[in-house]
Each structure stands twice: as structure tokens, then as C-alpha cells.
Amino acid sequence: MAATKKAVLGPLVGAVDQGTSSTRFLVFNSKTAELLSHHQVEIKQEFPREGWVEQDPKEILNSVYECVEKTCEKLGQLNIDISNIKAIGVSNQRETTVVWDKLTGEPLYNAVVWLDLRTQSTVEILSKRIPGNNNFVKSKTGLPLSTYFSAVKLRWILDNVKKVQKAVKENRALFGTIDSWLIWSLTGGVNGGVHCTDVTNASRTMLFNIHSLEWDKELCEFFGIPMQILPNVRSSSEIYGLMVKKKKIFLIVILHFQCLGDQSAALVGQMCFQDGQAKNTYGTGCFLLCNTGRKCVFSEHGLLTTVAYKLGRDKPVFYALEGSVAIAGAVTRWLRDNLGIIKTSEEIEKLAKEVGTSYGLLKILIICGLTQFTNKCHIAFAALEAVCFQTREILDAMNRDCGIPLSHLQVDGGMTSNKILMQLQADILYIPVVKPSMPETTALGAAMAAGAAEGVGVWSLEPEDLSAVTMERFEPQINAEESEIRYSTWKKAVMKSMGWVTTQSPESGDPSIFCSLPLGFFIVSSMVMLIASRYISG
């Protein structure tokens, strides 16, 4: 019997999308941007103490292997030849910090996740060493001194983990964000693995000079970080190395690796290549980025300045302004896992739709507006509304910094499948919200950067060659006055909630930044969390 003939498609490009909550591997047709197949694995988070958030680096790595293998099996069932996969892009959760042993390949400590708050005392100590009239950290990195970024997480690990101290002393330790750990492991690990990162991930460490595009000696000395443990910094679109097969994965297929931080990948995937174009990604958190072109714009309203992308070794670097909401999709998980209000993440939309209003309920540091009438549907609606109010806070700041208000907001991420959320967002922003029909723009951006790399060249990033994307548009359905009243009511409730915590343990972090107490969820509506308080004052 003759062998079944494999389907012939244009060159294919894969994307590893390693997020805080899950890992996915997706394969796209480079000529049409069509998603052909994918597989997803949920990732566990560990909470050893209040305010601490960790993940197992080996679980993350194994989830990548599983996703790649399962996706390839699915492609085989579709009769698609996996030998047509020419490159893989890696998109990753940023700031999450890993230290491992280059001789054994073993992690020396759990990954300290971007959400983690254990470094608050470290931040306070370091802050006292910055001259009041010369914040060289922010001027070089675009970032305030905060628990959020990798340098302070790495400093904590170096101060507190004896295995890491010993490995550094013996020149065995390597540091990286998740992209570096994955690329080193997937390109051979102890047998010649490539230790690198790209400019977008490097720019989130507080060790990288975003003007010179190099690790900064003064910053490394300030944080006490030995430069020999840092990865080499590359552009976001060039060949880093070749994937080494494990078990039956890819058989003899040769794959080229590139990487891009997840939010930059979404910016590319949304094709926001022009100054003033912006996107908001609704994942575990919300991340709103606005492309500012080839110039660094330093915000006067609490936003971060960051590297947007550098799509080639000899290509120019582009910058962005960024605002973040730390808890977005995580609120759904909290309602599911902690309160048992919902059984699946999708159920929150059904509950919210039943009532169509929060009935005056507001989620801030505390729950405001509870009455005997309140039920789980109102709580679900208020949770979605909270995400929208915080996004409005960021967008207002971005409009003031850029000088030209956005006429619409491009959105992506898992939560955008929730139509109630999208309509709420349009109403609260009072501008249209535009969602691509294929919402996997983070993975798409990573695939685009990988496929366009010199030496791969199967994906064109020229505007005239980019595939047109079908969009779903959500128009505001309330009047401007009602939108402003709802927003101002939320802001009033936020202001009244400030300072309600009068004591805290040394390990709990600063609740005005990101409450890590058992009621920490309710910060989800509080003044854009990482934007409005000391996160941006450094």
C-alpha cells in the first residue's frame, strides 16, 4: 500500500510561548500566518511564603518538550510534514529569574517569578544608595528600582542561597530569564548550550543599558552582580543556535532559535511597527505597550521605558512605553482555585453575563459595596470590571505622555475571548477595542521574528507582504458621561481604600504596591497596582 503523501505547505515556523500560567507550542504557515496546530500545558506556581512566587525550571523545560512533541504528533495526524518547520521563536514571561549549574545542567534554586515580592527589603536598602538628584539606575535602564525586575531577585538569590554562592565562587553558575534557561537547555545544555538572551529580555533586568545596548558595569557593581554569569545579548531576530533533539522530537529536523520577551512579541504580532501604535495583552497580568519609535521616551506619569524590539543584528532598536496590571487573568484563576466560585476559567463570562452589572460592587484593597443582594455573579462581573478600570488608568497616562490620544486599542491574550470583558473595556475606555480573529499574537510575533531572521528568511516583515488580519471590533455602548461616572466612582473607592493596612510582616512586601496578604487579590482594582505607587517612584 502506497504511503500517504504529506501535505505540502509553505515553510513553517514554530513558537514556544512560555507564560506564567502555561506553556504552549504553536506552528504557523509563514506565507499566510495561519495557525496550523498547537498544544498547551498548564504550569504550577508555588507559594512558599506570603508574597513569594516560585516555579520549577525543570517543569517549565519539560513542558516545552511535551508541547513540542504533542504538536508534532498533531501535525502528523493532519498529514503535515514537520520537516518544513524551519525555525522556532521563543516568547517568555519576562523578569522571572533562574540560576543554574553549567556543569550539571541542574537549576540551583527555583525560578523566582516576576510577581514575587520577597525583595522589598533589598529594594529599600538599595534605594538609600541612589543619590536623590541622580537616579542613574532609571536613566540607564528606563526602570524604577522595584521588586519586579530581575536584578533584585538575583541579588536576593546570591545573598540567601548557599548552593548559588558556592557555584558562583567555583565559576559554575549561569543566570538568565526564562528565555536563556530554555535556549541553553534546548541547544545542548551541558554539551555546548548557547547562553544568550535578547535585548527585550535584557532590558527588564535593571542591569542593561538601553542606550548602549550592553550590560552596564556600573549597574552590575551597584547590584553586586558578577558579570561572568550574565548571558550574551543578541537582537530579537537572528539565529542563536540549533535545537538538539530529545527522544523522538523532530527526529532529524534542524531548527534555528530566536527569542523575544512576551510583551514585545505581542507588539510585533499585532504589527505595531509605527510610532504611537499600542496593544494591550490580557494574560496573567495586563501589559499595555506603545511603540515610541527609535527614541527613548521617559514618562512623566509613571510608565516604564523599555526596549520594544530589534529585528536583526544590524537593524535599529525600537523603544516603547509600558504600563502593567499585575493581576488580570490571575483573578479568574483565584476565583476558580481559591474561592470555588467558578469551576472553569470560561465560566466567569457566563456568571458576569447573568447580571450585566457589578451592582455597585467594587474590588480594591477591600471589597466595596457588598450587600445582602450581592452574589457570585456580581463578584465575577466586578473582577472583570477591575481589569478594565486599571487599563483605563494606564491608557490615560500613556495618552498624556505621548500627547496624541489613542483612537482605538488593539488587544490580545487569553482573556480576550471573553466578550463581556471586551465590551466592558470599550465602554470604560470610551474608544473601540479591536481584537484579531486569531488572538495568539504573542506566539505569532515570536514566529515572525524567527522566520524573518537572517539565514532563515521565510517570513517577510515588509508592510506590503504582511497578511491582512481579520479583526473583531467592540464599540462603546454607553455614553461618555456614564463612562466617566463609573471610572470616577472606582477612583474614589481606590483613594478611600488607601492605607487600610497599618501593619505588615517583613516578608509580606509593601501592600500599597502589590498586596501579598491573603486578601491580596483585591488589589486587582487598586490604582494600576504597579503603576501608581512606589513601583514608579524610584
Side-chain angles (χ1 to χ4, degrees), residues 149-341:
F149 306 107
S150 307
V152 292
K153 300 181 194 303
L154 181 54
R155 182 66 262 157
W156 185 94
I157 291 171
L158 291 168
D159 287 338
N160 292 278
V161 183
K162 290 182 178 178
K163 284 174 65 176
V164 173
Q165 294 167 359
K166 189 171 186 290
V168 170
K169 189 175 181 180
E170 295 174 0
N171 196 29
R172 293 184 287 109
L174 296 178
F175 152 78
T177 42
I178 293 296
D179 58 305
S180 296
W181 161 244
L182 292 179
I183 290 170
W184 183 84
S185 300
L186 295 170
T187 56
V190 296
N191 298 310
V194 178
H195 187 215
C196 70
T197 189
D198 86 308
V199 291
T200 66
N201 282 293
S203 74
R204 308 296 291 191
T205 62
M206 283 198 299
L207 301 171
F208 185 73
N209 189 313
I210 62 174
H211 309 286
S212 67
L213 302 183
E214 295 176 336
W215 298 121
D216 190 282
K217 185 177 180 182
E218 183 183 16
L219 290 170
C220 289
E221 288 175 350
F222 174 74
F223 288 103
I225 305 300
M227 295 186 76
Q228 68 269 19
I229 72 173
L230 303 178
N232 293 319
V233 182
R234 314 279 283 273
S235 79
S236 310
S237 181
E238 62 179 271
I239 295 173
Y240 300 157
L242 305 179
M243 181 174 179
V244 175
K245 70 174 183 177
K246 181 181 179 182
K247 298 179 182 176
K248 60 182 180 181
I249 295 176
F250 289 125
L251 303 175
I252 58 170
V253 181
I254 297 174
L255 295 152
H256 302 93
F257 270 97
Q258 297 81 22
C259 77
L260 202 60
D262 53 4
Q263 303 314 315
S264 293
L267 196 72
V268 171
Q270 287 272 29
M271 302 174 199
C272 294
F273 295 127
Q274 303 298 318
D275 293 16
Q277 288 186 302
K279 67 87 201 172
N280 196 28
T281 298
Y282 298 74
T284 299
C286 268
F287 299 88
L288 205 164
L289 267 69
C290 180
N291 190 331
T292 62
R294 296 173 64 175
K295 61 184 178 186
C296 284
V297 175
F298 284 86
S299 173
E300 296 180 3
H301 302 94
L303 302 176
L304 307 179
T305 302
T306 195
V307 173
Y309 51 80
K310 186 177 187 294
L311 297 176
R313 190 179 305 173
D314 301 319
K315 296 293 178 67
V317 64
F318 283 72
Y319 297 93
L321 283 172
E322 175 174 342
S324 307
V325 174
I327 303 294
V331 70
T332 304
R333 200 166 177 171
W334 185 86
L335 290 173
R336 184 192 70 188
D337 298 343
N338 292 48
L339 290 192
I341 285 177

Side-chain angles (χ1 to χ4, degrees), residues 472-532:
E472 185 175 5
R473 191 177 178 95
F474 295 83
E475 299 283 349
Q477 292 184 353
I478 61 176
N479 60 44
E481 183 181 7
E482 183 182 346
S483 179
E484 287 302 318
I485 289 172
R486 287 165 67 174
Y487 181 51
S488 61
T489 301
W490 171 76
K491 290 182 74 173
K492 188 184 298 183
V494 168
M495 296 308 298
K496 286 183 179 295
S497 76
M498 292 294 185
W500 74 279
V501 175
T502 55
T503 60
Q504 65 182 82
S505 70
E507 297 166 351
S508 293
D510 182 345
S512 69
I513 298 176
F514 186 167
C515 184
S516 62
L517 303 172
L519 292 178
F521 153 76
F522 300 117
I523 190 73
V524 73
S525 297
S526 174
M527 289 298 282
V528 199
M529 204 169 331
L530 300 178
I531 297 303

